[in-house]
Short mmCIF file of all heavy atoms in Angstrom, two decimals:
data_model
loop_
_atom_site.label_atom_id
_atom_site.label_comp_id
_atom_site.label_asym_id
_atom_site.label_seq_id
_atom_site.Cartn_x
_atom_site.Cartn_y
_atom_site.Cartn_z
N ARG A 1 0.75 -1.21 0.07
CA ARG A 1 0.01 0.00 0.01
C ARG A 1 0.81 1.32 0.05
O ARG A 1 0.33 2.38 0.07
CB ARG A 1 -0.96 -0.03 1.20
CG ARG A 1 -1.89 -1.25 1.09
CD ARG A 1 -3.12 -1.08 2.03
NE ARG A 1 -4.17 -0.22 1.42
CZ ARG A 1 -5.46 -0.23 1.85
NH1 ARG A 1 -5.76 -1.10 2.76
NH2 ARG A 1 -6.39 0.57 1.30
N VAL A 2 2.15 1.07 -0.16
CA VAL A 2 2.99 2.30 -0.33
C VAL A 2 2.53 3.01 -1.71
O VAL A 2 2.67 4.18 -1.83
CB VAL A 2 4.44 1.94 -0.42
CG1 VAL A 2 4.77 0.98 -1.73
CG2 VAL A 2 5.39 3.12 -0.54
N LEU A 3 1.89 2.18 -2.56
CA LEU A 3 1.32 2.73 -3.78
C LEU A 3 0.32 3.82 -3.50
O LEU A 3 0.27 4.79 -4.32
CB LEU A 3 0.69 1.59 -4.48
CG LEU A 3 -0.21 1.82 -5.79
CD1 LEU A 3 -0.12 0.55 -6.67
CD2 LEU A 3 -1.63 1.94 -5.36
N GLU A 4 -0.38 3.78 -2.48
CA GLU A 4 -1.50 4.74 -2.16
C GLU A 4 -0.95 5.92 -1.42
O GLU A 4 -1.75 6.78 -1.03
CB GLU A 4 -2.54 4.14 -1.36
CG GLU A 4 -3.48 3.14 -2.00
CD GLU A 4 -4.47 2.59 -1.12
OE1 GLU A 4 -5.43 3.36 -0.67
OE2 GLU A 4 -4.41 1.41 -0.76
N SER A 5 0.35 5.96 -1.07
CA SER A 5 0.78 6.96 -0.07
C SER A 5 1.46 8.13 -0.72
O SER A 5 1.65 8.07 -1.99
CB SER A 5 1.85 6.26 0.85
OG SER A 5 3.08 6.15 0.17
N ASN A 6 1.83 9.08 0.06
CA ASN A 6 2.60 10.21 -0.42
C ASN A 6 4.06 10.04 -0.09
O ASN A 6 4.89 10.97 -0.21
CB ASN A 6 2.12 11.49 0.25
CG ASN A 6 0.67 11.81 -0.19
OD1 ASN A 6 0.42 11.89 -1.48
ND2 ASN A 6 -0.18 12.07 0.74
N GLY A 7 4.44 8.88 0.32
CA GLY A 7 5.85 8.62 0.60
C GLY A 7 6.37 8.78 2.00
O GLY A 7 5.61 8.57 2.94
N GLU A 8 7.66 9.06 2.11
CA GLU A 8 8.29 8.94 3.35
C GLU A 8 8.48 10.22 4.28
O GLU A 8 8.96 10.20 5.38
CB GLU A 8 9.74 8.36 3.12
CG GLU A 8 10.67 9.43 2.52
CD GLU A 8 12.05 8.80 2.15
OE1 GLU A 8 12.07 7.72 1.55
OE2 GLU A 8 13.08 9.42 2.51
N ASP A 9 8.18 11.33 3.70
CA ASP A 9 8.33 12.69 4.44
C ASP A 9 7.03 13.15 5.12
O ASP A 9 6.08 13.38 4.43
CB ASP A 9 8.90 13.68 3.49
CG ASP A 9 9.21 15.00 4.24
OD1 ASP A 9 10.23 15.03 4.93
OD2 ASP A 9 8.40 15.89 4.09
N PRO A 10 6.97 13.47 6.35
CA PRO A 10 5.90 14.00 7.05
C PRO A 10 5.40 15.31 6.39
O PRO A 10 4.18 15.58 6.31
CB PRO A 10 6.20 14.21 8.42
CG PRO A 10 7.36 13.17 8.64
CD PRO A 10 8.10 13.19 7.37
N HIS A 11 6.20 16.30 6.07
CA HIS A 11 5.82 17.57 5.49
C HIS A 11 5.11 17.37 4.15
O HIS A 11 4.13 17.88 3.97
CB HIS A 11 7.03 18.43 5.38
CG HIS A 11 6.73 19.75 4.80
ND1 HIS A 11 5.89 20.62 5.41
CD2 HIS A 11 7.14 20.44 3.66
CE1 HIS A 11 5.84 21.76 4.64
NE2 HIS A 11 6.57 21.64 3.61
N LEU A 12 5.77 16.58 3.30
CA LEU A 12 5.17 16.41 1.99
C LEU A 12 3.86 15.63 2.14
O LEU A 12 2.92 15.99 1.42
CB LEU A 12 6.09 15.59 1.07
CG LEU A 12 5.61 15.24 -0.36
CD1 LEU A 12 5.52 16.52 -1.16
CD2 LEU A 12 6.61 14.29 -1.03
N ASN A 13 3.75 14.72 2.99
CA ASN A 13 2.52 13.93 3.18
C ASN A 13 1.41 14.84 3.72
O ASN A 13 0.26 14.70 3.29
CB ASN A 13 2.90 12.77 4.16
CG ASN A 13 1.67 11.88 4.48
OD1 ASN A 13 0.87 11.54 3.49
ND2 ASN A 13 1.56 11.35 5.61
N THR A 14 1.81 15.70 4.63
CA THR A 14 0.80 16.62 5.15
C THR A 14 0.11 17.53 4.17
O THR A 14 -1.15 17.65 4.07
CB THR A 14 1.40 17.36 6.23
OG1 THR A 14 1.78 16.56 7.38
CG2 THR A 14 0.40 18.45 6.87
N ILE A 15 0.98 18.12 3.47
CA ILE A 15 0.38 19.13 2.41
C ILE A 15 -0.32 18.49 1.23
O ILE A 15 -1.24 18.97 0.66
CB ILE A 15 1.39 20.17 1.93
CG1 ILE A 15 2.66 19.57 1.36
CG2 ILE A 15 1.84 21.01 3.19
CD1 ILE A 15 3.65 20.56 0.88
N MET A 16 0.28 17.27 0.84
CA MET A 16 -0.50 16.58 -0.25
C MET A 16 -1.85 16.02 0.20
O MET A 16 -2.75 16.03 -0.55
CB MET A 16 0.47 15.37 -0.67
CG MET A 16 1.63 15.74 -1.44
SD MET A 16 1.18 16.42 -3.05
CE MET A 16 2.74 16.79 -3.82
N THR A 17 -1.94 15.54 1.33
CA THR A 17 -3.14 15.03 2.01
C THR A 17 -4.24 16.14 2.01
O THR A 17 -5.42 15.92 1.59
CB THR A 17 -2.96 14.47 3.38
OG1 THR A 17 -2.04 13.43 3.36
CG2 THR A 17 -4.29 14.08 3.99
N LYS A 18 -3.85 17.33 2.37
CA LYS A 18 -4.68 18.47 2.36
C LYS A 18 -5.24 18.78 1.00
O LYS A 18 -6.42 19.07 0.83
CB LYS A 18 -4.01 19.69 3.01
CG LYS A 18 -4.78 20.99 2.96
CD LYS A 18 -4.01 22.13 3.54
CE LYS A 18 -4.81 23.43 3.40
NZ LYS A 18 -4.03 24.60 3.87
N ALA A 19 -4.31 18.77 -0.01
CA ALA A 19 -4.62 18.97 -1.38
C ALA A 19 -5.69 18.01 -1.90
O ALA A 19 -6.61 18.45 -2.63
CB ALA A 19 -3.42 18.91 -2.23
N TYR A 20 -5.63 16.81 -1.54
CA TYR A 20 -6.63 15.81 -1.99
C TYR A 20 -8.10 16.24 -1.42
O TYR A 20 -9.04 16.27 -2.18
CB TYR A 20 -6.34 14.42 -1.41
CG TYR A 20 -5.40 13.61 -2.26
CD1 TYR A 20 -4.00 13.56 -1.98
CD2 TYR A 20 -5.83 12.90 -3.40
CE1 TYR A 20 -3.17 12.84 -2.69
CE2 TYR A 20 -4.93 12.15 -4.21
CZ TYR A 20 -3.63 12.08 -3.83
OH TYR A 20 -2.74 11.26 -4.60
N VAL A 21 -8.09 16.53 -0.18
CA VAL A 21 -9.43 16.91 0.51
C VAL A 21 -9.94 18.12 -0.17
O VAL A 21 -11.11 18.21 -0.50
CB VAL A 21 -9.23 17.15 1.94
CG1 VAL A 21 -10.51 17.65 2.58
CG2 VAL A 21 -8.71 15.82 2.77
N GLU A 22 -9.14 19.13 -0.43
CA GLU A 22 -9.62 20.37 -1.06
C GLU A 22 -10.09 20.05 -2.52
O GLU A 22 -11.04 20.68 -3.01
CB GLU A 22 -8.46 21.43 -1.08
CG GLU A 22 -8.20 21.89 0.28
CD GLU A 22 -6.94 22.78 0.29
OE1 GLU A 22 -6.23 22.88 -0.63
OE2 GLU A 22 -6.78 23.57 1.28
N GLY A 23 -9.47 19.07 -3.14
CA GLY A 23 -9.84 18.77 -4.55
C GLY A 23 -11.18 18.00 -4.57
O GLY A 23 -12.10 18.35 -5.40
N TYR A 24 -11.34 17.04 -3.74
CA TYR A 24 -12.59 16.30 -3.67
C TYR A 24 -13.77 17.04 -3.26
O TYR A 24 -14.83 17.03 -3.97
CB TYR A 24 -12.44 15.11 -2.72
CG TYR A 24 -11.49 14.00 -3.16
CD1 TYR A 24 -10.55 13.56 -2.30
CD2 TYR A 24 -11.54 13.47 -4.44
CE1 TYR A 24 -9.69 12.48 -2.61
CE2 TYR A 24 -10.73 12.35 -4.87
CZ TYR A 24 -9.81 11.89 -3.89
OH TYR A 24 -8.87 10.90 -4.24
N GLN A 25 -13.62 17.85 -2.17
CA GLN A 25 -14.67 18.58 -1.63
C GLN A 25 -14.84 20.02 -2.20
O GLN A 25 -15.98 20.62 -2.04
CB GLN A 25 -14.56 18.64 -0.07
CG GLN A 25 -14.51 17.23 0.49
CD GLN A 25 -14.54 17.14 1.96
OE1 GLN A 25 -14.70 16.13 2.51
NE2 GLN A 25 -14.42 18.31 2.65
N GLY A 26 -13.88 20.55 -2.87
CA GLY A 26 -14.08 21.82 -3.66
C GLY A 26 -14.71 22.91 -2.91
O GLY A 26 -14.40 23.21 -1.63
N ASP A 27 -15.72 23.48 -3.48
CA ASP A 27 -16.41 24.61 -2.80
C ASP A 27 -17.57 24.26 -1.88
O ASP A 27 -18.35 24.98 -1.51
CB ASP A 27 -16.88 25.64 -3.89
CG ASP A 27 -17.76 24.98 -4.92
OD1 ASP A 27 -17.99 23.65 -4.85
OD2 ASP A 27 -18.26 25.67 -5.81
N GLY A 28 -17.68 22.91 -1.61
CA GLY A 28 -18.66 22.47 -0.66
C GLY A 28 -19.47 21.35 -1.22
O GLY A 28 -19.59 21.26 -2.57
N LEU A 29 -20.14 20.60 -0.41
CA LEU A 29 -20.98 19.49 -0.80
C LEU A 29 -22.29 19.82 -1.43
O LEU A 29 -23.04 19.01 -2.02
CB LEU A 29 -21.08 18.43 0.27
CG LEU A 29 -19.73 17.86 0.87
CD1 LEU A 29 -20.04 16.88 1.90
CD2 LEU A 29 -18.94 17.32 -0.32
N THR A 30 -22.71 21.13 -1.32
CA THR A 30 -23.92 21.49 -2.00
C THR A 30 -23.74 21.58 -3.48
O THR A 30 -24.59 21.41 -4.23
CB THR A 30 -24.35 23.01 -1.51
OG1 THR A 30 -23.22 23.82 -1.75
CG2 THR A 30 -24.73 22.99 -0.01
N ASN A 31 -22.46 21.61 -3.92
CA ASN A 31 -22.18 21.42 -5.35
C ASN A 31 -22.16 19.90 -5.57
O ASN A 31 -21.32 19.20 -5.03
CB ASN A 31 -20.74 21.98 -5.61
CG ASN A 31 -20.41 21.95 -7.14
OD1 ASN A 31 -20.95 21.07 -7.84
ND2 ASN A 31 -19.54 22.83 -7.59
N LYS A 32 -23.14 19.53 -6.39
CA LYS A 32 -23.29 18.10 -6.63
C LYS A 32 -22.27 17.44 -7.48
O LYS A 32 -22.23 16.19 -7.65
CB LYS A 32 -24.64 17.86 -7.30
CG LYS A 32 -25.86 18.28 -6.43
CD LYS A 32 -27.19 18.20 -7.13
CE LYS A 32 -28.34 18.68 -6.16
NZ LYS A 32 -29.59 18.60 -6.83
N GLN A 33 -21.20 18.15 -7.91
CA GLN A 33 -20.11 17.56 -8.68
C GLN A 33 -18.92 17.40 -7.69
O GLN A 33 -17.85 16.97 -8.10
CB GLN A 33 -19.62 18.48 -9.76
CG GLN A 33 -20.73 18.47 -10.94
CD GLN A 33 -20.19 19.18 -12.18
OE1 GLN A 33 -19.60 20.27 -12.08
NE2 GLN A 33 -20.37 18.48 -13.34
N ASN A 34 -19.10 17.69 -6.37
CA ASN A 34 -18.03 17.56 -5.45
C ASN A 34 -18.44 16.20 -4.62
O ASN A 34 -19.64 15.92 -4.55
CB ASN A 34 -17.85 18.66 -4.46
CG ASN A 34 -17.34 19.89 -5.18
OD1 ASN A 34 -16.69 19.77 -6.16
ND2 ASN A 34 -17.71 21.15 -4.73
N ILE A 35 -17.51 15.61 -4.02
CA ILE A 35 -17.83 14.41 -3.15
C ILE A 35 -17.03 14.64 -1.82
O ILE A 35 -16.11 15.27 -1.71
CB ILE A 35 -17.37 13.12 -3.88
CG1 ILE A 35 -15.95 13.03 -4.15
CG2 ILE A 35 -18.24 12.86 -5.11
CD1 ILE A 35 -15.46 11.74 -4.79
N ALA A 36 -17.48 13.88 -0.84
CA ALA A 36 -16.87 13.93 0.51
C ALA A 36 -15.67 13.09 0.60
O ALA A 36 -15.60 12.02 -0.01
CB ALA A 36 -17.89 13.55 1.59
N ALA A 37 -14.72 13.55 1.35
CA ALA A 37 -13.44 12.75 1.46
C ALA A 37 -13.44 11.96 2.81
O ALA A 37 -13.83 12.60 3.88
CB ALA A 37 -12.27 13.72 1.50
#
């Protein structure tokens, strides 16, 4: 499952994880083209 990860560094992992959430949820779930993370 290293395949699903952002790798070995806590800083890179932290900001990449945030980017995913912001991408999925976008401007909010009232927008029906966004999904919850």
